[in-house]
Amino acid sequence: MSEHAEGHSASYARIRSKKSLAEILEVAPSFEQKAQEFYTALIPRVSKNIRWLVEELAIEEQEHFALFSTLAKNPDIAEQVKQQIQTPVEDRRFSDYIQLPDLGEKPDDQAILQYAVGREDAAMKQYRELADSTPPGAIHDLFEFLANEETKHKQELEKLYYELIHSGGPGN
């Protein structure tokens, strides 16, 4: 049997490795919404050292969710969302982060920052791969913008993590 014959495992794997943009645009907003809910719920439970950052992240994730809502209403993307694109390697990690961890009533800064860095890293990689897989247009531009945003978030979190955990606190 040829490698490209219907029913061959390689052909099946290629088909399964593709998703429509419509499917991706269904999952991505829930990732952003769950992030916003997670950070909002954390605000009253985190230390003053990182409360400002958690508040900022909640606002930014809400803005990302709003971008998806605006895009979904754009009639110019109706044809583009039918396209099949390669499923990003990070797709599984991205989906995993829709499930939120239970960090308890008084989560420590290190646990929060570790989770947040992982979440931002998964989002950054997912959006970068999606931007690289989509043709020029509104969807590509959104994924490119989000990849850059998540990169900035991750860098901010890593800097704060280093300051708080490895240096003994902000400004030390």
Side-chain angles (χ1 to χ4, degrees):
M1 182 184 293
S2 145
E3 182 179 314
H4 300 290
E6 191 171 337
H8 189 273
S9 61
S11 296
Y12 181 69
R14 273 196 306 279
I15 291 167
R16 294 224 356 119
S17 71
K18 297 201 180 265
K19 281 188 177 178
S20 72
L21 283 170
E23 290 172 301
I24 290 166
L25 291 173
E26 285 176 18
V27 174
S30 53
F31 177 83
E32 299 295 341
Q33 182 179 22
K34 289 291 184 183
Q36 186 272 332
E37 291 169 2
F38 172 73
Y39 291 128
T40 299
L42 273 179
I43 292 169
R45 300 178 6 225
V46 298
S47 75
K48 291 177 185 170
N49 289 335
I50 65 168
R51 186 168 294 143
W52 65 271
L53 178 65
V54 174
E55 290 169 345
E56 188 176 291
L57 287 169
I59 291 167
E60 289 177 358
E61 301 301 352
Q62 178 58 42
E63 290 170 356
H64 295 174
F65 178 78
L67 288 171
F68 279 109
S69 298
T70 301
L71 183 67
K73 296 173 188 166
N74 183 341
D76 297 338
I77 67 162
E79 282 304 310
Q80 195 175 0
V81 297
K82 295 176 188 173
Q83 291 180 344
Q84 297 283 316
I85 62 168
Q86 187 68 35
T87 302
V89 174
E90 289 295 316
D91 199 52
R92 181 75 178 127
R93 277 191 70 213
F94 189 75
S95 298
D96 287 347
Y97 277 100
I98 291 177
Q99 304 299 319
L100 301 177
D102 181 3
L103 296 175
E105 279 305 305
K106 293 286 180 195
D108 72 347
D109 293 351
Q110 185 171 359
I112 292 166
L113 290 171
Q114 286 173 335
Y115 176 78
V117 166
R119 180 178 248 289
E120 299 301 323
D121 183 65
M124 173 191 75
K125 289 175 180 172
Q126 175 86 353
Y127 291 137
R128 177 67 55 218
E129 285 189 55
L130 288 167
D132 292 345
S133 298
T134 52
I139 295 173
H140 170 82
D141 294 347
L142 174 62
F143 290 143
E144 187 73 30
F145 172 79
L146 290 171
N148 293 335
E149 285 283 294
E150 303 301 358
T151 300
K152 285 188 269 184
H153 294 171
K154 181 180 177 236
Q155 290 169 343
E156 290 170 14
L157 287 163
E158 288 171 336
K159 181 178 180 228
L160 184 61
Y161 183 89
Y162 182 79
E163 289 173 2
L164 291 175
I165 308 306
H166 294 291
S167 300
N172 291 338

